[in-house]
Structure formats: structure tokens, C-alpha cells
Amino acid sequence: MASETAAPSAPPPRTGVTGSTSLQDLRRLESSLRGLTEEQAEARLADVGENVLPEARTTSWALLFVRGLRDPFTTVLLCLGLVSATVTAWGTAGVILCLVVVSCVLRATGEYRADRSMAGLRELVAATATVLRRTDAVDEPPAQRAGRRVAEKGDRPREREIPAAELVPGDVIRLAPGDLVPADVRLLRASGLTVHQAALTGESAPVVKSAVDAPGPPGGGPFDEPHLCFQGSTVATGGGTALVLETGARTRFARAHGTLARRGASAFERSVHGISWVLIRFMLLTPPLVLMANAALRGRGLETLPFAVAVAVGLTPEMLPVIVTTCLARGASLLARSHGVIVKRLPALHDLGAVDVLCLDKTGTLTQDRPVVERALDGDGEDAPDVLRWAAVNAWWTLQLVDLPAPDALDEALLDAADGAWEPYEGVAALPFDPVRRLTTAVVRGRLGTHTLVVKGAPEAVLERCVLDPGERDRLLALAAHEADDGLRLLAIATADRPARTRSCTPADERGLTFRGFVAFRDALAPTAAQALRDLAARGVTVRVLTGDHPGTAARACRDLGLDPGDVRSAGAADEVTGTVVARCTPEDKARIVTALRRAGHTVGFLGDGVNDVPALHAADVGIAPRDAVDVARASADVVLAEKDLTAIDHAVMAGRHSSGNIATYLRVTLSSNLGNVVAMLAAGLLLPFLPMLPAQVLAQNLCFDAAQLAFAYDRPAPGVLMRPTVLRPRDFLRFITGFGVINAVADLATFGVLALTLYGPDALNDEMVFHSAWFTENLLTQALVMLLLRSARCAAEGRAPGPVGRAAAVLAAVGLLLPLTPLGALLGMNTLPAEYYLLLAAVLALYAIALWAVGARYERRSAASPGQP
């Protein structure tokens, strides 16, 4: 071993801490069982830094605000503001600028809060640690520095408490019940040590740890190694001495949570980005086309610029941010009032509606994080009530006679199931559970002059102490293994009669036992989970269970709830993304699986409540946490539930689809109508000797149409929309608006024909004011029809009342008919039309409505057959 008086430099980073012996680790870290000297510790601390979580770099709020301006949707709004300013529509430009500022402020504020969520992790890191340190050689008395041997005799370690931030690799520390493990450590000595490592693995039960150098189970990860404990764990029972292997940013806890990457664009953001860029391309393309066409065919140049700009304005849905915000805000408000679900990030509500895969942990979601007795069985696998009685006797008197730090969950389950069966027995003594023995023993009074030992524990530990021939013992172990593979947790029960005596019972008395049987436990199921799983499946949401528990336990819970677990995968398997259940998951595994599902084209929600779930919460499209989750998980989530209940998630999914359905309907209506009008305007601009509509008329028409479409925020979608994930796919929208836009353009061109050939003769189109008035009226009437018929052909087929959309469409139609007759119409350059025009227009609108109905019904049928259509 290297000289302990030298001050070594920091050991190199170690990517793995398994596969070595304790002696090898001591040599690698140039330490000993007596710990480091103060001089060594100070030099090493200067090299490796403090044992603290890395500071999360929080981007300034101002920079986040500027980044928001680069968002494509914000770019659309800015373009609209410039367009409005170009045509001197200062009021419109001012409103759009306000929308841009509000949008960027809300986005920057939400992201700034998310960046600060790492602060909650620091509460889970130990503040102090009990360390063994030796006095520096320079501080020793001269007599102890006379020779190396004499110095080492006097160089005894002192046990003292220091800030955990001062720990360094190579330190030797003490662990006691209730301690937070302050770093990644290797056990050198352990006595009855169990630790809770749910923060790292999600396992609800404490894990037995020991100082042996034997490797963990085959296929297990570092968390399964019995001699390793990790930062973020808590000592449940026992104590020990441990060697610090890694500190600070190199611990597994810090690597899993300290450098969380920001998630990629969510489903809503991807959809809006795609649609926004389509609109931007159209906006940039339309004005040059109008200018060039008019210059080439009509000899008109820059004087058509205001009209070209107005056409670009007419193409773009100015009310998109208002509609989206109103729909999402109403849905979030309703969820909060009715179900206690808080949506922290409004776009997450749309993402909930688009979720087709929901990932969750088993514990606390499908189950209640407490065991219940499934049955008691004898050695032949038959029901045996006496076995449950003896197990309850052991549990009761262990609780009464042993000062336990906390009641054991299995004992509580036994007492609930036994219903007082222990009452006839009088306890004498008890031996508490020992992770090495893996047993608890209660001694009760038996027949006159005898005591009965009642032993309960792990099947292997109990059976090796029973009087059994090897073949019978192997058979019973196989029976226990079969039950464990079926997802049950087993305790073996044995008894022995001993002569009554006054001396204390010892572990040596736990021999020559008579085997009684097994008690099987399962996790208590969440009462609403089964129905919620059925509801989610009916709505097209696939549930994936990502758990740190044993594969059999997870599969059993799924089967009990009616969810087919299929082939249970283990984390790290090549096909882990395709299974229903993935067991033995670490935090990194959960985040990796969620990311892989998103890359495969799924919209993924993740429900978690522990620190081990934080990476996956960040990786998912929608992170969901209950209100009682740890602070950092709740801060990382997009949606917070009043309780960890799948029913609340089902309500949230429905609310998301309600809002998304209304947004999708608005986009279908406004984009198809606007595209048809733009195509007709371009055609009319080439056919007519004057502009087909004045810029002021275009903007007035857009204002009326946009105001009417606010009704979509208060609409109730068709039931079919709520039964499948709602995704706003740009390609699907492009196909939809192209088809319906052509129909709208044909109706406009038919109106031109009515005006030209029927109402006034071939020269009618030369009457500029008549044309403007007629087309203004026709446009608003066709837009009212589009609002009604494209809202959902299925709604009309079901005979449902049109509701607020119907009332808004009626008002829009009235404006189209009456505005040209008013003084405001005259100011806009319109006049009164003869009655004959309205009769002919009615015929055109009737044919238009029939075409819309037919194409809309066909679209609904195709949409129902293709889930996920907008």
C-alpha cells in the first residue's frame, strides 16, 4: 500500500465501481481502514472539489425572452404586424405586437422556473457525515515521529462529524439508521444494514446491504451489488463503515439528475412549428405573385402593393394565438376546478390530448405501496389457515417486545389478515429481524413447562433451519420460487417447542424447526386503477409500466388489473421499447425508454413522483406528478395531480382532447376558407380591370370572420374526436385545406359568373362597387357555412345543436347581408345590391353547402379510420 503520509492527487474518474475488491479500492484511492489524514483530505478536496451537486446554469430571463422571438409562431405574428403596419392598420399592428410580447413573457417565465427546479435536489443530499480522519504527521508529538512504526501506533483515527461537502474519495465514514448516504460508497463493515434506494431505483422495500465482495445477481446493475451504497439513499436499519468512492458531480445521483438535458420540442410545439412555417411560406410567396401577375397581365405595378399585402393578411389566421390560449386556458381552468389537476404549462394540455403512450411506475399508481396477504399455504401448496395464525403470532409479539424503528409493512398486513388470531398466545421474548439471518423469532408460552419458538423469514433461511431431508427442502424451495416468479412475495413459517427457561433466546435456538408453510403477499391494488386502465385503452392510450421492481411482481400487478403484461422486459434488453412492462429500471433507463418512444413517433406522457423519475419527466412530452411528489419532481412536471390516480389522468387527457379538437377545427375552418378566398382573389385580380377587393374591405372581412371564430374556444367537439389522440399534423392540414379551399374558390368563381352573365350582363364586372359589395356578402356567407359544416359533419349527423358556433355563424351571415346597406358599408366602398342577386346567390350557396357536406362526411369517415387525424 502506498505511503499514507503522502498527499496524493485526486484519483481519476471511475466509470464503474463494480467488479473490484475492497482491498483494490483502498489501494486505488490510496486509503486504509483508518481513513485519510487531514493533510491528504485537504489536498484531495482542492483537486476534486466539494461534494455538492453541480450548480444548474440558469439562463437569464432576458435571454429566454429574446429566444422566444425566434419561435416560428412568433415569427408569423411579427410578419402580420409588419403587414398591418404596411397598410397603415395601426390598431391591428398594436394588438399583434401585444400578443408577441405576452407570448414571449409567458414562455420565458415558464422556462426560467423550469431551469431553477434543480435547487430541490439539494434537499436530498446529506448535510453532514461522520468520518474517520487521522492527525497530520506534522502535528504529532516528537516521540511519535521518531520512527514510522512508532508514528503509526500513535496515528489513531478520530471519529468526527464534518460537512458532507468536505468528503473526498478515500474517506472512511460511518453509517447509522436514518442517515442519508452522503456519496457513492463501498461497505467495509456492515451490521444488519438495509437502505432505501427508491430515489435511485423506485423500489419501495429496503434493500439488504453487506460488506462481502461477492458480486450481485446475474444481469443486475450496480444498485443490485450488496456492497455498494449510493448518494440519495437512506439507511433504514443497522449501520456500517464505508469507503467513499465518488463525490460531487461524479456520483450516480448527480449524473442522473444534475445535468438534465432540456427536452426536445413537444407534440404541440412540433405541430405549431410545422403549420407556422407553411403559413410563412405562403405569406412570403403571395405578395410577389400578385405583384408580378398584375404587372405582367394588367400593367399595374406598385399600386397593387396594398392589395397584395392585404391578401397575405387574409391568408393568415390572426386569431390563432387568441383561440389557442383561450381553448387551453378554459380546459386548464375546468380541470383545476373539477378534478384538482393543475396545468403548469398551457401547451402541455394539448400534448395530453395527443398522448398515445403513457409511461408510469407500478408503485403508488397501479398499487398502493403496501402489501396484502394473498393466501397461506402448506408444503403441498394447499390453503393452510394455521400458517397464517402462526405468522400473525410472530408479527404481533415482535411488534410488542422489540423496539423497532418503524412497523414492518408485512407484519401489518399479517395482522390485518389474521383478525386477532394471535390473542390466545402470551409472548415471552423476541429476536428482531437481522439482514444476515433474514429471520424474526417470537417466543410464546406453550403447554405446561414449554415455550414455542415461532420463526418467520426468507424461505431459504427458514428451510435450512428446519428438519427436512434434502429432497424435500429442494421441493419446497422450488415451490417458493414458482410463487415468487408469479409475482408473490413469500415468507416461510416454522415452529419448535423448547423447555421453558429463564435465559434469553439466541439465534442458536433457531435450529431443528418444524416447517409449517408459506404466507404469500401481493401489492395492494389501487382501487380505481383497473377501470382507469380500461378507459385509457378505449381512448387509444397504451400504458407502459417502467419500474424498478422485480419483473414477476410488476407482471402480477398488471394481470390483477386486467392489463396484459406480455413478455416482461428487463432494462437494457434490445426490445425493451416494445414491451408493456420493463422491470429493474434505473432513472437513466426510464429517460432512455421515453426518449426512444418519442423518436419512434409517439407522444409520451410520464407519471412519476420521486427523484428517480426526474430524468423521465424531463424527457417526456408531458411530465405528470402528484401533489405529494418530492419538490424536484413536482417542479419538473408540466401537470400536477391532486392525487396519484390514473382517473385524474384520464380526465386530463379528455380535457386536452377537448381543447385540441376545438383548435384543430378552428384551423381547418380558417385555413381552408382563407386559402379559397386567396385563390379567388388571385384569379379575380387577373380577370378584372380593377382590384377585386379593396384593402380596407379585406381587413374588415378578416376582422368579422376572426371575431366569429372565437366561438370555437367554447365549442363542444364531437364524441369521436375525444376517443382518439389528437395530433395537429401539418401534412394532414395541408391536404385538408387544399381540398376544401378549392371548393371555396369554386364557389367564389361561381359568384363571379352570376354577376357577369346573369345579373347585369357581360359588362357587369366593370361595375367596381357592385362587384366589391357582392363578393363581400358572398364571402361572409360562405365563411358562415364553413363554420357550421366543417365544424364536424358528424355533429350535424348526430343532430347536435350547433351551440356557440352556430350563433356566431348566424351573426356573421347577418353582418354579410346587412353591412353593405349601412353607412359603414358606404365608407368601405360598398352599396346596396338588388334582390335578384340574393336569389341567385342562394342557389350558389346551396350547391356549395351540398359539396361541403359530401366532402366533409367523406373526410369524417377517413378520419375515424385513421386515428390521430386533426
Side-chain angles (χ1 to χ4, degrees), residues 639-660:
V639 178
V640 177
L641 310 178
E643 297 178 357
K644 196 173 183 181
D645 186 356
L646 285 180
T647 303
I649 296 181
D650 182 57
H651 292 312
V653 167
M654 293 297 287
R657 293 183 182 180
H658 188 288
S659 299
S660 299

Side-chain angles (χ1 to χ4, degrees), residues 488-774:
L488 298 175
R489 189 184 310 177
L490 259 66
L491 290 178
I493 313 299
T495 62
D497 290 331
R498 299 283 190 266
R501 62 193 180 194
T502 57
R503 72 175 180 85
S504 300
C505 180
T506 68
D509 295 314
E510 299 168 335
R511 298 289 176 183
L513 306 177
T514 300
F515 176 73
R516 294 287 185 175
F518 299 107
V519 179
F521 301 83
R522 61 171 173 82
D523 289 332
L525 303 178
T528 60
Q531 183 59 47
L533 288 173
R534 288 193 292 269
D535 291 340
L536 288 170
R539 305 189 203 291
V541 178
T542 301
V543 173
R544 300 287 311 281
V545 180
L546 311 181
T547 179
D549 277 351
H550 185 279
T553 303
R556 176 61 181 254
C558 291
R559 286 194 299 270
D560 290 345
L561 290 169
L563 178 64
D564 183 10
D567 294 330
V568 178
R569 320 289 193 214
S570 293
D575 55 351
E576 63 184 1
V577 176
T578 61
T580 299
V581 178
V582 183
R584 299 298 190 192
C585 283
T586 64
E588 297 94 332
D589 292 328
K590 294 181 181 180
R592 177 171 46 78
I593 293 170
V594 168
T595 301
L597 287 168
R598 293 186 66 201
R599 287 176 180 167
H602 297 286
T603 303
V604 183
F606 183 87
L607 172 63
D609 62 353
V611 180
N612 60 306
D613 296 319
V614 171
L617 288 169
H618 273 264
D621 287 289
V622 188
I624 309 169
R627 186 171 54 190
D628 58 357
V630 297
D631 290 344
V632 67
R634 196 167 57 249
S636 301
D638 303 303
V639 178
V640 177
L641 310 178
E643 297 178 357
K644 196 173 183 181
D645 186 356
L646 285 180
T647 303
I649 296 181
D650 182 57
H651 292 312
V653 167
M654 293 297 287
R657 293 183 182 180
H658 188 288
S659 299
S660 299
N662 286 341
I663 294 171
T665 301
Y666 161 74
L667 287 172
R668 287 199 304 264
V669 169
T670 190
L671 293 179
S672 59
S673 178
N674 289 353
L675 179 62
N677 287 340
V678 166
V679 170
M681 283 185 182
L682 293 175
L686 300 178
L687 295 173
L688 301 176
F690 52 83
L691 294 179
M693 191 174 287
L694 299 178
Q697 294 168 349
V698 173
L699 295 177
Q701 174 187 284
N702 289 341
L703 178 62
C704 293
F705 189 34
D706 291 338
Q709 289 181 103
L710 281 173
F712 284 113
Y714 303 89
D715 193 23
R716 186 162 57 97
V721 174
L722 304 178
M723 295 308 295
R724 60 182 184 272
T726 305
V727 181
L728 308 178
R729 294 192 174 96
R731 289 186 178 180
D732 294 331
F733 270 104
L734 187 58
R735 286 196 297 266
F736 183 95
I737 65 176
T738 299
F740 284 92
V742 168
I743 296 175
N744 193 23
V746 169
D748 289 342
L749 294 174
T751 303
F752 300 164
V754 167
L755 288 170
L757 301 177
T758 308
L759 192 55
Y760 291 110
D763 297 328
L765 293 183
N766 291 326
D767 189 335
E768 183 175 346
M769 186 172 289
V770 169
F771 184 89
H772 291 165
S773 303

Side-chain angles (χ1 to χ4, degrees), residues 66 169 260 267 330 333 365 468 508 579 645 672 680 771 821 829:
V66 173
L260 295 172
R330 289 190 72 249
S333 176
T365 307
L468 296 169
D645 186 356
S672 59
F771 184 89
L821 310 179

Side-chain angles (χ1 to χ4, degrees), residues 292-339:
M292 289 187 295
N294 277 274
L297 299 179
R298 290 291 179 180
R300 296 190 293 258
L302 292 178
E303 65 269 19
T304 62
L305 179 59
F307 173 70
V309 170
V311 171
V313 172
L315 177 66
T316 309
E318 298 93 334
M319 298 300 291
L320 180 58
V322 178
I323 296 291
V324 168
T325 302
T326 305
C327 286
L328 297 179
R330 289 190 72 249
S333 176
L334 181 63
L335 273 177
R337 291 196 311 268
S338 303
H339 306 290

Side-chain angles (χ1 to χ4, degrees), residues 788-814:
L788 283 175
L789 297 180
L790 292 194
R791 169 178 172 258
S792 177
R794 190 175 302 170
C795 286
E798 294 170 356
R800 293 174 53 201
V805 174
R807 293 190 290 272
V811 172
L812 182 64

Side-chain angles (χ1 to χ4, degrees), residues 50-55 118 121-122 124-125 182-184 199-200 223 230-232 246-261 587-588 611 614-615:
E50 291 189 333
N51 177 36
V52 295
L53 290 176
E55 288 282 355
M118 274 297 299
L121 285 171
R122 298 181 179 275
L124 297 160
V125 178
D184 289 355
L200 296 164
F223 300 112
F230 298 92
Q231 186 182 54
E246 301 287 6
T247 60
R250 292 184 294 182
T251 64
R252 287 185 173 270
F253 185 77
R255 292 205 302 269
H257 307 102
T259 55
L260 295 172
E588 297 94 332
V611 180
V614 171

